[in-house]
Amino acid sequence: MAYMLEHPYWLVILAVLIIITIFVCIKAGAASSKRYKANEAIIKKLKEENLLRNEFAVLTQSLIERAEPARLFSGVALNLQKKISDATDMNGEFEKLTDEQKEIYALSFVVEDGGEKLSDFFKANGQPLTGFALKGFTRLFNGRAAEIFAEEYNAYDSENETASLIPSEIEKNDAEF
């Protein structure tokens, strides 16, 4: 203690080290808490998806009639995604689906990839997924929503020579969609 009184700068250094240690511990605790919450959200989502997949694993007419449409769509889409992702030949498995199943499968990616901005879906995916998404979307929706979907489909379609990708129009359509 006498040494510390003779050399007070060590007390300052010790105090700074204690403050830094406390600060680092608080930051580490906050980061750990954030990571824990993110992991919990992922686990909760996976459990919900598993329940949906199980609920709609075997479709019957009565199940279809009494199911909430959004829940039915999600359950069927999750089962289709699992069926395709579990196959050794994913493209071949996709080709075996009916057109309606392909549309549901494609629309599930519109929801997943295009949830924030529709253009994100088209940036992340290509044919045949985008084509079936267009067919499915226009089957379910009409009016301006279908127009926007078709406009963005055409803008991102590399085979379409008549449409061009204009970022300002894409941003406007994303916001309106």
Side-chain angles (χ1 to χ4, degrees):
M1 191 64 163
Y3 180 79
M4 291 289 196
L5 292 175
E6 290 176 17
H7 301 92
Y9 59 89
W10 284 110
L11 288 174
V12 173
I13 293 173
L14 184 60
V16 169
L17 287 175
I18 290 172
I19 291 171
I20 289 173
T21 303
I22 291 171
F23 178 76
V24 167
C25 288
I26 290 171
K27 286 296 188 181
S32 176
S33 176
K34 186 176 180 181
R35 188 174 46 251
Y36 176 78
K37 287 178 183 175
N39 287 343
E40 284 297 310
I42 290 169
I43 290 169
K44 181 180 178 188
K45 180 182 178 198
L46 290 173
K47 284 180 181 179
E48 289 172 1
E49 287 178 354
N50 191 38
L51 287 173
L52 273 173
R53 251 195 314 278
N54 290 336
E55 182 178 346
F56 295 101
V58 179
L59 287 178
T60 63
Q61 189 63 35
S62 64
L63 178 62
I64 292 169
E65 289 171 357
R66 72 173 192 264
E68 175 188 319
R71 193 167 171 79
L72 174 64
F73 171 80
S74 295
V76 171
L78 286 168
N79 278 304
L80 291 172
Q81 287 176 6
K82 182 162 177 38
K83 180 179 182 178
I84 290 172
S85 66
D86 287 351
T88 54
D89 178 15
M90 292 173 63
N91 291 331
E93 194 65 34
F94 179 79
E95 289 304 319
K96 291 178 188 176
L97 299 177
T98 66
D99 282 353
E100 292 80 7
Q101 289 173 320
K102 290 176 184 176
E103 291 170 13
I104 291 170
Y105 179 78
L107 287 172
S108 70
F109 284 93
V110 171
V111 172
E112 189 173 313
D113 296 338
E116 294 291 320
K117 295 190 292 187
L118 180 60
S119 60
D120 288 345
F121 165 73
F122 290 106
K123 290 175 189 174
N125 300 286
Q127 290 292 349
L129 203 61
T130 56
F132 280 105
L134 176 64
K135 288 178 189 175
F137 195 86
T138 55
R139 182 189 303 251
L140 295 173
F141 302 97
N142 55 30
R144 185 63 184 140
E147 289 173 16
I148 292 171
F149 200 95
E151 287 173 15
E152 290 212 13
Y153 170 82
N154 289 326
Y156 284 95
D157 184 7
S158 60
E159 303 294 317
N160 189 338
E161 300 282 329
T162 62
S164 57
L165 194 140
I166 302 170
S168 61
E169 287 182 19
I170 298 297
E171 288 177 19
K172 180 181 157 256
N173 282 344
D174 281 342
E176 190 176 344
F177 190 78

